[in-house]
Amino acid sequence: MKKKAFDGQWRRLDNTAKIFPVIANENMSQVFRISVTLKEPVNPDLLQQALEDILPHIKNFRVRLRKGLFWYYFEENKRIPQVQRESSYPCRYIDPGSNRKFLFRVTYYENRINLEVFHALTDGLGAVMMLKDLTGRYLQLVRGEEDFWRPEDEKTQKEQEFSVVDSYLENYREVPRRKYSSHPAFRLEGNYLPLGTGQVLHGYVNTVELKKICHGYGVSITKYLATVLIWSIWQEYLDGKPWAEPVVLNLPINLRAFFDSETMANFFAVTMIGHLFRNPDITFEALLLKISRQMDKKIDKKRLEESISYNVSREKKWYLRVIPLVLKKLALDLVFRLKDRAYTMTLSNIGVIKVDPGQENQIERFHLMIGVSRRQPVKCAVCAYGEEVVITFTSVFADSHLQRRFFDKLKEDGARVQLEGNEPSSARKRDMYPRIRKVLILQKGGEAKASRMVQQVGQTGGEAAKEIKNYLAGERNIKEELHKRLHV
């Protein structure tokens, strides 16, 4: 069976990937983006050629999603994907039936190349590897170099299999499993932007300055940023007062560093890091110490092995495997909702991105961002390149007061922060994204005005406004849902 899964035309989804096709839809895309900004404008013809050159060598991305009786599975996709100019908001849903059946899209805008990926395909590190190969080949074509991956550079069949292996199954072993709490955490609320829109805010911080701050506190960058985010949520949403629900961050952890894996499939675990604010007099330093100790305790190999065991053990139970997919979808959706309510927002840090020495003078920076939805309204993603750390917030809210509070704390601690984003943000520089739809007027009081407009949208406009109001209130049209889900 293993030989067929890799040598034939299909293969299984990895253990984590199985959840994403079940929960993804136009309102919750499960798409993330990794992008590279070059120092010269992108040539779309050369970018298309670069994509066609590398795709035959990257097996994990050369697939389409199919629905089986018991599970979804990947099937080889022999079509050719098309590079397009960016023309919509980032991290939009990738319909498996369109986009030439591919589960990723490559777009460009001015100097930037964007790779957007459906999470069933890979995680952040896998996408970085794909983008680096694409960028490397593109820069070769810009320099006029035609030779690409000589025969002696070709991967062996064993290495190709390894690049898509399910490392969850490879590293699974029976260990005592802990029960994971689904106790509700504090949830962010606000006035939502119109359906299909969203705001992006990038904060650029000097790496040396950020390291100096973290060194002063005696913690890593991730520990510091996680604490700043929890502190900002407490200050901005809870007014620094005691609260019955904890503020909890969902932190994805790259498992490759712990289990010596090079797979391009998903291989990450998530851990919940948070604090229940009972003492209104707690200082930032005291909170940082608590969060740091919590992360030290939870992010170690033993605890991660327990996480793998917890997830894989259910996949191995024969009575669960034989349940038809239509029933699995109902169960998995319920499980996801229980886990989803257990955290306030996501913070993902993929660390430092390195490129070949010959490319450094042609690349300005990288960005990472994660798709958001009404159920997961704000997310934060971090990556670093060269002398710069890029902290990106994505949000469906009409305001950005949490983001401002977060970056203000960094400034208070001595870091200079430069902001950049799209129109629905508080950034002054907005020319890095195409002007798609005017959502907010960027002027004094613009955010407050936009919030009032969004809040009042259900009071005027007849049936159209009524539908938007229903969407914002979380109500669903039963006829539309039946047609979408059951085709009746």
Side-chain angles (χ1 to χ4, degrees):
M1 180 61 69
K2 180 179 179 181
K3 187 176 189 302
K4 180 178 180 181
F6 288 97
D7 293 345
Q9 301 298 310
W10 70 278
R11 65 179 175 87
R12 299 179 181 89
L13 276 68
D14 62 71
N15 177 264
T16 295
K18 288 180 170 65
I19 186 68
F20 295 114
V22 173
I23 61 177
N25 54 51
E26 291 183 359
N27 297 327
M28 189 163 59
S29 68
Q30 299 301 318
V31 170
F32 65 94
R33 171 191 283 196
I34 181 73
S35 61
V36 58
T37 301
L38 307 177
K39 295 184 178 179
E40 298 291 338
V42 175
N43 182 320
D45 294 330
L46 294 184
L47 183 59
Q48 177 67 43
Q49 184 61 53
L51 180 59
E52 294 180 19
D53 286 347
I54 70 166
L55 194 59
H57 302 270
I58 304 180
K59 192 171 186 177
N60 193 46
F61 282 74
R62 204 175 63 247
V63 296
R64 60 177 177 168
L65 186 67
R66 300 299 299 271
K67 184 185 294 186
L69 178 60
F70 302 107
W71 287 112
Y72 287 92
Y73 63 94
F74 289 136
E75 184 178 72
E76 184 179 2
N77 189 352
K78 297 182 179 180
R79 294 175 175 85
I80 299 175
Q82 294 297 306
V83 169
Q84 296 181 345
R85 184 182 185 275
E86 183 178 5
S87 60
S88 66
Y89 286 89
C91 301
R92 297 292 301 276
Y93 177 62
I94 299 178
D95 185 355
S98 62
N99 193 43
R100 301 201 172 189
K101 309 292 185 180
F102 287 99
L103 301 176
F104 69 94
R105 66 169 71 97
V106 176
T107 62
Y108 66 93
Y109 183 73
E110 302 295 344
N111 294 21
R112 189 178 65 246
I113 300 172
N114 310 307
L115 174 64
E116 296 190 336
V117 182
F118 181 42
H119 220 322
L121 199 58
T122 188
D123 55 20
L125 188 59
V128 168
M129 295 166 64
M130 166 68 170
L131 181 63
K132 286 169 64 176
D133 281 346
L134 176 62
T135 305
R137 179 54 183 155
Y138 170 79
L139 293 176
Q140 281 184 330
L141 293 173
V142 169
R143 295 191 298 265
E145 300 175 12
E146 295 298 329
D147 292 337
F148 180 61
W149 279 349
R150 300 179 301 274
E152 58 266 28
D153 296 329
E154 289 286 348
K155 293 182 178 180
T156 65
Q157 179 64 28
K158 182 178 180 180
E159 288 173 329
Q160 288 209 16
E161 290 180 4
F162 187 65
S163 69
V164 293
V165 72
D166 188 340
S167 288
Y168 295 102
L169 296 179
E170 277 205 337
N171 291 279
Y172 166 77
R173 64 186 183 89
E174 282 287 350
V175 297
R177 297 187 297 275
R178 297 175 181 266
K179 292 184 178 180
Y180 291 84
S181 173
S182 58
H183 181 75
F186 174 74
R187 304 290 290 180
L188 302 179
E189 295 182 355
N191 297 320
Y192 291 87
L193 292 167
L195 178 63
T197 65
Q199 66 162 299
V200 179
L201 183 60
H202 304 295
Y204 303 123
V205 183
N206 181 269
T207 304
V208 174
E209 292 180 356
L210 187 57
K211 285 183 176 179
K212 182 179 180 180
I213 295 171
C214 295
H215 180 73
Y217 283 119
V219 297
S220 68
I221 289 178
T222 301
K223 289 177 179 178
Y224 171 73
L225 294 179
T227 306
V228 172
L229 188 51
I230 292 172
W231 176 267
S232 300
I233 294 171
W234 182 49
Q235 293 291 321
E236 193 65 31
Y237 279 88
L238 307 181
D239 297 323
K241 299 177 181 178
W243 203 260
E245 298 169 325
V247 177
V248 181
L249 298 184
N250 178 47
L251 265 63
I253 307 298
N254 174 27
L255 294 176
R256 296 171 182 84
F258 293 88
F259 296 95
D260 192 28
S261 171
E262 296 180 5
T263 183
M264 283 189 70
N266 285 290
F267 195 41
F268 70 97
V270 294
T271 187
M272 303 297 185
I273 302 296
H275 184 72
L276 178 60
F277 288 94
R278 293 192 178 99
N279 178 15
D281 298 322
I282 187 173
T283 63
F284 176 80
E285 290 77 9
L287 178 64
L288 180 58
L289 181 61
K290 290 178 178 294
I291 297 301
S292 179
R293 289 174 175 173
Q294 192 178 151
M295 290 178 67
D296 287 338
K297 181 180 178 180
K298 290 187 174 183
I299 305 176
D300 67 6
K301 189 170 182 178
K302 182 179 179 181
R303 294 293 292 266
L304 296 174
E305 283 179 340
E306 292 172 359
S307 177
I308 293 175
S309 176
Y310 176 84
N311 293 326
V312 175
S313 62
R314 280 147 178 76
E315 181 182 344
K316 286 182 169 291
K317 297 183 184 302
W318 68 268
Y319 53 86
L320 295 178
R321 294 169 63 182
V322 299
I323 297 176
L325 179 59
V326 63
L327 298 179
K328 281 193 177 86
K329 290 177 68 174
L330 297 174
L332 288 173
D333 186 64
L334 176 61
V335 170
F336 175 77
R337 288 176 180 272
L338 290 174
K339 290 185 177 181
D340 186 47
R341 71 176 188 170
Y343 62 89
T344 305
M345 64 175 290
T346 295
L347 170 64
S348 179
N349 183 2
I350 61 171
V352 179
I353 300 176
K354 297 181 180 180
V355 299
D356 295 337
Q359 301 173 7
E360 292 175 345
N361 62 343
Q362 297 172 286
I363 295 176
E364 182 176 349
R365 60 169 57 103
F366 287 85
H367 296 93
L368 172 68
M369 66 180 72
I370 315 172
V372 287
S373 66
R374 189 174 185 270
R375 281 170 56 182
Q376 301 174 343
V378 185
K379 295 185 180 182
C380 181
V382 184
C383 67
Y385 173 72
E387 298 300 317
E388 184 179 67
V389 176
V390 182
I391 304 169
T392 299
F393 283 90
T394 45
S395 171
V396 294
F397 288 148
D399 62 68
S400 58
H401 55 86
L402 172 61
Q403 295 91 310
R404 290 199 306 272
R405 173 76 73 163
F406 176 90
F407 288 120
D408 283 347
K409 175 58 180 171
L410 266 61
K411 294 176 184 178
E412 290 172 9
D413 284 347
R416 290 170 294 175
V417 180
Q418 179 185 354
L419 298 180
E420 187 176 34
N422 62 358
E423 285 196 34
S425 76
S426 62
R428 290 293 175 184
K429 187 177 180 182
R430 299 170 291 156
D431 56 359
M432 70 176 301
Y433 291 100
R435 292 177 179 267
I436 304 160
R437 187 185 307 174
K438 193 170 184 61
V439 179
L440 297 184
I441 301 173
L442 192 63
Q443 58 186 16
K444 186 175 181 180
E447 287 192 353
K449 180 179 179 181
S451 296
R452 291 195 299 270
M453 292 172 62
V454 173
Q455 195 173 32
Q456 296 168 1
V457 71
Q459 301 173 7
T460 59
E463 290 299 317
K466 182 179 179 182
E467 290 299 320
I468 296 176
K469 181 181 179 182
N470 289 341
Y471 165 74
L472 296 178
E475 300 173 7
R476 297 181 181 274
N477 185 306
I478 187 64
K479 291 183 179 180
E480 181 180 347
E481 287 298 305
L482 287 172
H483 177 72
K484 182 189 298 183
R485 298 181 182 277
L486 303 179
H487 305 286
V488 297

